[in-house]
Amino acid sequence: MTTRNPSLLSHVRGWHEAAPVLSALAGYGVLAAVRLAGAFTVPCTVLSILLTPSVLVAVPRDSWTGVGLRPARKLPAAVGIGVVLVTYVDVVSCNWAAFGTTTGNWTMGIPALFRTMVPGNEVLLWVFMVLAMGLFVPLLEEICYRGVLFTAVARQAGTAVAVVVTSLGWAFVHLGNYGLSPFAPAVIAGVLPSVFCMGLALGYCRVVTGSVFASAAAQGIANLALVSWVTMAAPP
């Protein structure tokens, strides 16, 4: 009779089941390190986004609905998306009131961030930016933050704590995109509270809908509205 050794995947899932917050923090630590490194090298920026949903491997396929990978009912989704849009408008308005079109306004750095990835071709730049901001980044981020990490924290500490903790974590990793290279205290002072408030709204959307897909849709719609705002309001 032979004994089968548990696979690495089984160990990861067993650890996550036994200590969901600890395993979630470990996964977040790796992802955050790569994302922060993205402030200094474009490949790490891309890699960090691609790796973001990797935390899902800790959850067995038959438990994916438990972390929010399920459809949302229309009315709660509409309410959640509406709250996210209003929050984004308020937050961006505050940034523009405080910093105007100066380099201290982190939202002005969004097109520049994508130009480092797609240099020299404006059409390709906008196609890439719309797909990334409207679809891929929201889905990959929400699976991680409002999906696996949110569920792990909520199991141990409750829903309200999960909303706050995941919002804080999500805000921190955005320093990998804004404020570190070059180091800009004004940008950091703007981006951290901004993205934290956006995260709270996305967390609310996740709570009222029970669906990561709803919060991903909310983030995607709000991101595209933000990109449109920046494009139209920026000086020529």
Side-chain angles (χ1 to χ4, degrees):
M1 180 177 178
T2 59
T3 302
R4 297 181 62 185
N5 293 323
S7 66
L8 176 60
L9 184 59
S10 297
H11 280 301
V12 169
R13 289 177 174 173
W15 181 34
H16 185 69
E17 181 62 28
V21 173
L22 184 60
S23 66
L25 287 175
Y28 170 78
V30 173
L31 294 172
V34 177
R35 182 111 176 216
L36 292 177
F40 307 97
T41 171
V42 172
C44 279
T45 300
V46 177
L47 181 62
S48 68
I49 298 300
L50 295 178
L51 286 177
T52 298
S54 64
V55 293
L56 193 59
V57 302
V59 182
R61 177 66 182 83
D62 58 4
S63 299
W64 283 8
T65 56
V67 297
L69 271 72
R70 56 188 174 191
R73 290 183 290 117
K74 291 181 181 179
L75 182 57
V79 171
I81 291 170
V83 168
V84 171
L85 278 170
V86 170
T87 303
Y88 268 57
V89 169
D90 287 343
V91 165
V92 176
S93 296
C94 289
N95 272 275
W96 280 72
F99 300 105
T101 57
T102 68
T103 55
N105 185 343
W106 68 272
T107 66
M108 295 291 294
I110 295 173
L113 174 66
F114 282 93
R115 282 193 173 91
T116 63
M117 302 181 201
V118 189
N121 188 320
E122 285 294 310
V123 174
L124 186 59
L125 165 71
W126 282 101
V127 170
F128 180 66
M129 187 159 55
V130 168
L131 288 176
M133 295 288 284
L135 178 62
F136 297 120
V137 171
L139 182 59
L140 300 182
E141 286 191 339
E142 294 306 306
I143 287 173
C144 175
Y145 291 96
R146 256 64 64 174
V148 177
L149 300 187
F150 176 92
T151 305
V153 177
R155 282 174 56 185
Q156 297 292 311
T159 299
V161 173
V163 171
V164 173
V165 168
T166 52
S167 299
L168 285 170
W170 190 56
F172 177 72
V173 299
H174 277 76
L175 294 181
N177 305 112
Y178 312 100
L180 291 185
S181 181
F183 181 69
V187 173
I188 293 173
V191 74
L192 286 179
S194 296
V195 182
F196 174 67
C197 290
M198 292 169 173
L200 293 178
L202 288 165
Y204 171 81
C205 182
R206 167 69 169 84
V207 171
V208 298
T209 63
S211 172
V212 164
F213 298 129
S215 59
Q219 190 192 148
I221 292 169
N223 281 349
L224 293 179
L226 172 57
V227 169
S228 300
W229 183 337
V230 170
T231 302
M232 290 186 294

